[in-house]
C-alpha cells in the first residue's frame, strides 16, 4: 500500500506541492456495524422466542423446534444477507489492494494538489475496478488516481447538509447530471477555503454558475494557467 511519504518522494523534479490533506480512517466500521446488527437481531429473536415458549403452556416438540429455527432464520435473513454482501465486497477490495482485512482499521487517505496534477488515494477509489473505469481524465491504479490539471475543465462544489462540509469534484466535462466525480474530496470549511485559494493560483476561471443543482452549489469552468 503506497503511503503519503512515498508519493511525495516520487514526484517529478519540476513538480511542487501547493496543497495537501492526509488522514486515517477506520474502514471496518461499516462491516462491524452490520455484524452488530446481525448479532443483535439474532440474539433478540432467540431470546424473545425462548421467553415466549418457556412461559407458555405449549409442549416443546420437534415440529415446534423446526418452527423456531425457521422463524429465527427469517427474522435474521436480511441482516445476514447484508453482512455477507458487504463482507464479500471487502474481500474483493483487500485482494485488489493486497492487504489483510485488519489493515483497513487504520487506512491512510491523502489528497495532493501540485502545480501539475491532482493525486488522490481513497477507499472510495478502491471500490472501483480499474478495468471497469476508463477515462482520459486520469490514471487509476487500485486505490489511487493521478489527474493532469490540464485535463480538468470544471470544478463543482457541493455543500453537504447540516454541516460545514464541502465536496469538491473535478470533471473534464460536466453535464450537470453527474453530481459526483470519482475525483473528489470532502473538506471542512477551513481546508476548503485554503484549497479554493490555491485553485485561483493554478487556474483561470472563465465562468461561474451557482445554485445549479441545489442551493449553495457552484460550478467553476476553468483552464490551467500556463507555467512560466
Amino acid at each position: 500500500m503506497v503511503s503519503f511519504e512515498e508519493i511525495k518522494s516520487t514526484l517529478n523534479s519540476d513538480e511542487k506541492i501547493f496543497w495537501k490533506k492526509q488522514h486515517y480512517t477506520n474502514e471496518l466500521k461499516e462491516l462491524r456495524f452490520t455484524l452488530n446488527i446481525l448479532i443483535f437481531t439474532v440474539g433478540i429473536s432467540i431470546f424473545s422466542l425462548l421467553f415466549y415458549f418457556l412461559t407458555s403452556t405449549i409442549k416443546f416438540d420437534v415440529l415446534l423446534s423446526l418452527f423456531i429455527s425457521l422463524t429465527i432464520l427469517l427474522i435474521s435473513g436480511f441482516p445476514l444477507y447484508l453482512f455477507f454482501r458487504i463482507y464479500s465486497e471487502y474481500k474483493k477490495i483487500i485482494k485488489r489492494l493486497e492487504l489483510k482485512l485488519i489493515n483497513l482499521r487504520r487506512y491512510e487517505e491523502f489528497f495532493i494538489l501540485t502545480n501539475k496534477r491532482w493525486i488522490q488515494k481513497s477507499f472510495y477509489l478502491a471500490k472501483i475496478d480499474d478495468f471497469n473505469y476508463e477515462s482520459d481524465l486520469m490514471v487509476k491504479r487500485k486505490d489511487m488516481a493521478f489527474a493532469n490539471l490540464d485535463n480538468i475543465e470544471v470544478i463543482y462544489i457541493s455543500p453537504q447538509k447540516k454541516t460545514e462540509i464541502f465536496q469538491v469534484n473535478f470533471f473534464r466535462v460536466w453535464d450537470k447530471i453527474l453530481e459526483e466525480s470519482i475525483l473528489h474530496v470532502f473538506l471542512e470549511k477551513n481546508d476548503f477555503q485554503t484549497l479554493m485559494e490555491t485553485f485561483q493560483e493554478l487556474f483561470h476561471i472563465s465562468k461561474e454558475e451557482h445554485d445549479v443543482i441545489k442551493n449553495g452549489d457552484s460550478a467553476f469552468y476553468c483552464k490551467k494557467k500556463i507555467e512560466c
Side-chain angles (χ1 to χ4, degrees):
M1 187 166 59
V2 180
S3 70
F4 177 78
E5 294 301 325
E6 287 173 325
I7 287 296
K8 281 178 59 179
S9 66
T10 59
L11 293 178
N12 300 327
S13 58
D14 59 346
E15 199 167 10
K16 177 183 176 182
I17 294 177
F18 274 60
W19 179 91
K20 63 183 184 295
K21 182 173 179 61
Q22 176 194 26
H23 61 264
Y24 293 88
T25 61
N26 182 0
E27 297 299 340
L28 291 182
K29 288 188 295 184
E30 182 182 8
L31 186 64
R32 183 179 298 168
F33 178 73
T34 309
L35 178 61
N36 289 340
I37 291 178
L38 174 61
I39 294 172
F40 177 79
T41 304
V42 173
I44 289 296
S45 300
I46 293 174
F47 175 80
S48 300
L49 289 170
L50 287 179
F51 179 80
Y52 173 77
F53 286 112
L54 288 174
T55 57
S56 69
T57 57
I58 300 176
K59 186 178 179 181
F60 193 86
D61 56 20
V62 175
L63 290 178
L64 189 57
S65 176
L66 180 61
F67 171 76
I68 293 174
S69 300
L70 289 175
T71 302
I72 294 174
L73 182 62
L74 288 173
I75 294 174
S76 61
F78 178 72
L80 183 65
Y81 163 77
L82 189 61
F83 172 77
F84 279 107
R85 180 179 177 180
I86 294 175
Y87 180 76
S88 176
E89 289 298 317
Y90 271 74
K91 292 289 286 185
K92 291 178 183 177
I93 291 171
I94 61 175
K95 182 179 180 180
R96 185 178 300 144
L97 298 181
E98 299 177 351
L99 297 174
K100 295 180 179 179
L101 196 61
I102 193 66
N103 296 134
L104 298 183
R105 182 176 293 176
R106 182 174 168 80
Y107 174 82
E108 182 187 31
E109 290 191 331
F110 57 78
F111 307 85
I112 303 173
L113 178 64
T114 75
N115 57 319
K116 295 186 178 293
R117 295 183 293 175
W118 172 262
I119 302 172
Q120 173 177 328
K121 178 179 182 290
S122 63
F123 193 68
Y124 177 82
L125 288 175
K127 298 177 182 180
I128 303 172
D129 197 312
D130 295 354
F131 298 102
N132 292 338
Y133 193 89
E134 297 180 1
S135 172
D136 56 357
L137 170 63
M138 66 173 193
V139 174
K140 181 186 177 301
R141 297 170 186 161
K142 298 181 180 179
D143 58 348
M144 292 198 63
F146 304 81
N148 192 320
L149 297 189
D150 290 326
N151 291 330
I152 294 175
E153 298 182 0
V154 180
I155 300 170
Y156 174 67
I157 313 299
S158 176
Q160 305 303 293
K161 294 180 178 179
K162 298 181 180 180
T163 59
E164 291 190 343
I165 301 294
F166 298 84
Q167 182 182 12
V168 183
N169 299 269
F170 304 94
F171 292 92
R172 182 180 180 88
V173 178
W174 184 55
D175 59 8
K176 300 183 183 180
I177 296 177
L178 294 175
E179 295 184 44
E180 182 178 286
S181 165
I182 73 166
L183 296 176
H184 68 258
V185 59
F186 291 91
L187 298 173
E188 294 181 355
K189 189 174 182 179
N190 289 338
D191 287 327
F192 168 71
Q193 290 175 340
T194 303
L195 180 59
M196 293 304 296
E197 291 171 0
T198 307
F199 283 149
Q200 293 177 5
E201 297 180 46
L202 295 172
F203 290 95
H204 287 295
I205 307 297
S206 60
K207 185 175 69 170
E208 297 182 22
E209 291 182 350
H210 302 280
D211 301 329
V212 185
I213 298 174
K214 61 183 181 180
N215 290 335
D217 70 354
S218 302
F220 298 89
Y221 296 81
C222 58
K223 185 176 180 59
K224 185 178 179 294
K225 294 179 179 179
I226 299 176
E227 295 183 53
C228 300

